[in-house]
């Protein structure tokens, strides 16, 4: 099961483009879209909930003003999470993966993003109430109508993916993965992606390195300083290079809106960490040597 679409290895995450972060103007979004496309970042990761259900619409408007053609980029978005917010009537946070809702949500994303199709459509988080046949009915209908090209999930365990694959193929799984949050290397998630040629994507690829203080940070920083000199790279690039070395061929979803950092993220692909350096970072993060 291989993806038919070629995504950029570094994916631009849009979660912080709007009210949940930088609050970029439409013109700033337009410029950032063009910058990404001109610097080897052609894939954009969205979710209906981002920016309090407003980011997709802002991005779509900005995209129409950009110099980037739709066929040059890939739009990824997600559905299913129901927030309690002024723009919806939800009384409690929940998930909805009924056939009608999945179709409605995908079509709403199409309208907001001002596009005729979505390259990759993901279920955002697993629900105890999801039924594979209901999901499959919605996805197959959307694919038949040309509204989505590929289907995947986000934050799903192996058994949850297998449950869906009773009724429909799953092309991708977007999960949290970084040096400091690496359980998907051990719980079978990435094994599953390799075995089934499933696209593995990593959200929050830098982890907590720049946000958290403490002994873990101190241990990693000590190793990082040596490697920065050795590889002539900064910490962000080395954290991405650490991810990129994994055999699951992970696609990092990078959330920064800073153009220099985006360009540095692309250049991180050129860094090939030596095996012992990779394990030196892992050991520093875990606080002990591997078994």
């Amino acid at each position: 099961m291989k993806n038919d679409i070629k995504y950029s290895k570094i994916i631009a995450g849009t979660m912080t483009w709007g009210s949940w972060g930088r609050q970029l103007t439409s013109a700033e979004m337009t410029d950032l879209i063009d910058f990404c496309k001109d610097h080897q970042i052609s894939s954009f990761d969205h979710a209906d909930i981002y920016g309090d259900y407003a980011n997709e619409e802002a991005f779509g408007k900005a995209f129409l003003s950009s110099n980037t053609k739709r066929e040059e980029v890939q739009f990824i978005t997600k559905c299913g999470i129901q927030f309690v917010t002024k723009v919806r009537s939800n009384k409690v946070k929940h998930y909805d993966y009924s056939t009608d809702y999945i179709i409605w949500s995908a079509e709403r994303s199409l309208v907001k993003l001002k596009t005729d199709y979505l390259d990759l459509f993901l279920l955002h988080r697993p629900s105890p109430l999801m039924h594979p046949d209901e999901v499959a009915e919605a996805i197959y209908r959307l694919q038949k109508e040309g509204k989505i090209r590929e289907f995947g999930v986000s934050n799903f365990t192996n058994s949850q993916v297998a449950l869906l694959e009773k009724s429909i193929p799953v092309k991708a799984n977007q999960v949290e993965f970084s040096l400091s949050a690496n359980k998907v290397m051990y719980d079978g998630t990435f094994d599953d992606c390799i075995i089934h040629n499933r696209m593995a994507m990593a959200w929050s690829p830098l982890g907590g390195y720049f946000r958290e203080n403490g002994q873990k940070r101190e241990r990693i920083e000590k190793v990082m300083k040596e490697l920065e000199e050795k590889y002539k790279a900064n910490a962000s690039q080395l954290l991405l290079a650490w991810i990129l070395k994994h055999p699951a061929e992970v696609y990092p979803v990078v959330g920064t809106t800073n153009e220099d950092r985006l360009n540095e993220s692309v250049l991180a692909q050129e860094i090939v960490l030596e095996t012992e350096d990779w394990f030196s970072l892992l050991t520093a993060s875990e606080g002990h040597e591997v078994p």
Side-chain angles (χ1 to χ4, degrees):
M1 183 197 303
K2 293 186 178 180
N3 292 77
D4 301 321
I5 300 168
K6 183 174 176 59
Y7 301 92
S8 59
K9 193 61 179 181
I10 302 298
I11 296 174
T14 65
M15 186 177 74
T16 63
W17 286 31
S19 64
W20 287 6
R22 294 297 304 278
Q23 302 184 44
L24 300 179
T25 65
S26 187
E28 288 172 332
M29 283 193 187
T30 296
D31 290 343
L32 192 54
I33 291 168
D34 285 334
F35 178 87
C36 286
K37 177 57 181 63
D38 292 340
H39 290 78
Q40 302 177 49
I41 302 175
S42 63
S43 303
F44 296 87
D45 180 75
H46 299 270
D48 57 349
I49 61 172
Y50 290 169
D52 203 21
Y53 294 97
N55 274 24
E56 286 181 324
E57 187 170 13
F59 181 95
K61 179 181 178 181
F63 186 78
L64 288 183
S65 299
S66 74
N67 296 318
T68 301
K69 298 179 181 178
R70 177 63 181 90
E71 61 270 20
E72 296 176 323
V73 294
Q74 301 81 45
F75 288 177
I76 303 165
T77 198
K78 315 174 194 74
C79 80
I81 298 178
Q82 301 289 309
F83 272 149
V84 177
T85 172
K86 293 180 180 179
V87 300
R88 295 212 174 177
S89 59
N90 306 321
K91 296 180 180 178
V92 62
K93 182 182 177 183
H94 63 286
Y95 310 111
D96 190 344
Y97 292 125
S98 63
T99 299
D100 288 344
Y101 181 78
I102 292 172
I103 293 172
W104 178 87
S105 185
E107 291 177 340
R108 187 172 178 81
S109 290
L110 289 172
V111 172
K112 289 192 170 189
L113 289 168
K114 295 180 170 53
T115 183
D116 295 327
Y117 64 96
L118 301 169
D119 296 275
L120 179 58
F121 188 55
L122 309 176
L123 305 188
H124 204 156
R125 285 191 177 273
S127 169
L129 297 180
M130 65 184 179
H131 193 290
D133 292 345
E134 291 185 33
V135 173
E137 181 181 350
I139 299 304
Y140 280 133
R141 188 184 309 177
L142 289 165
Q143 288 179 326
K144 182 178 180 181
E145 294 173 356
K147 294 175 180 177
I148 65 172
R149 297 180 65 186
E150 294 187 330
F151 166 67
V153 296
S154 183
N155 306 298
F156 274 53
T157 66
N158 293 345
S159 63
Q160 291 161 344
V161 173
L163 171 66
L164 287 179
E165 289 208 307
K166 167 185 174 293
S167 303
I168 189 168
V170 176
K171 288 289 190 79
N173 193 2
Q174 182 179 134
V175 294
E176 182 179 15
F177 179 52
S178 66
L179 175 62
S180 55
N182 55 44
K183 70 175 183 178
V184 290
M185 294 195 309
Y186 302 110
D187 66 7
T189 299
F190 280 170
D191 298 338
D192 169 78
C193 289
I194 294 171
I195 292 168
H196 297 285
N197 293 314
R198 219 183 304 285
M199 180 183 180
M201 290 180 281
W203 58 265
S204 193
L206 302 186
Y209 181 74
F210 295 103
R211 301 190 308 268
E212 301 170 359
N213 295 313
Q215 293 183 350
K216 176 187 281 194
R217 166 66 186 267
E218 292 173 1
R219 293 193 305 266
I220 297 173
E221 191 171 31
K222 183 178 180 180
V223 176
M224 194 70 78
K225 286 181 178 179
E226 298 176 2
L227 298 183
E228 286 176 347
E229 177 63 26
K230 178 177 179 177
Y231 291 95
K232 307 302 179 187
N234 61 34
S236 294
Q237 291 177 306
L238 290 170
L239 288 168
L240 290 175
W242 189 88
I243 285 176
L244 293 168
K245 189 174 178 67
H246 194 278
E249 300 181 1
V250 183
Y251 289 70
V253 179
V254 178
T256 183
T257 60
N258 181 282
E259 293 182 353
D260 289 338
R261 289 184 60 195
L262 284 166
N263 191 45
E264 288 172 355
S265 298
V266 172
L267 295 175
Q269 298 176 78
E270 301 174 8
I271 302 170
V272 181
L273 285 178
E274 294 179 9
T275 298
E276 286 198 23
D277 292 335
W278 190 91
F279 276 99
S280 292
L281 285 169
L282 178 62
T283 299
S285 178
E286 300 294 290
H288 55 79
E289 65 180 14
V290 295

